[in-house]
Amino acid sequence: MNRPIPMSNLVSTPCVGVCALDAAGRHCVGCGRTLEEIGAWPSLDETARRAIMNRLARQSRRGNRHESGR
């Protein structure tokens, strides 16, 4: 049975309100997500969202907003 996730544990969106694509048209220059990640975000579970958020944090620490992670 699925148990509800407490609200304090929910991952918020990485969106910063700067919605524009990079020159290649693959990543948002605001949050760093790919078009696929942005489109899928509403249907992703918390585990998948956390994985994306962790990747974005690693990229930010490295100064590389567009690591493919694949």
Side-chain angles (χ1 to χ4, degrees), residues 55 58-59 66-70:
R55 179 182 56 78
R58 284 192 311 273
Q59 287 173 208
H66 306 299
E67 171 188 286
S68 69
R70 295 170 208 206

Side-chain angles (χ1 to χ4, degrees), residues 16-68:
V16 295
V18 180
C19 302
L21 296 178
D22 63 2
R26 294 273 308 138
H27 294 88
C28 174
V29 297
C31 68
R33 291 180 292 172
T34 66
L35 288 176
E36 293 82 9
E37 290 168 340
I38 293 167
W41 193 262
S43 63
L44 296 176
D45 64 17
E46 288 304 306
T47 301
R49 288 180 178 190
R50 287 180 193 280
I52 293 169
M53 295 290 283
N54 288 336
R55 179 182 56 78
L56 294 172
R58 284 192 311 273
Q59 287 173 208
S60 179
R61 285 192 300 269
R62 291 182 191 145
N64 178 7
R65 297 291 297 184
H66 306 299
E67 171 188 286
S68 69

Side-chain angles (χ1 to χ4, degrees), residues 2-21:
N2 291 334
R3 293 186 302 159
I5 298 172
M7 290 300 286
S8 62
N9 291 336
L10 291 177
V11 176
S12 62
T13 179
C15 181
V16 295
V18 180
C19 302
L21 296 178

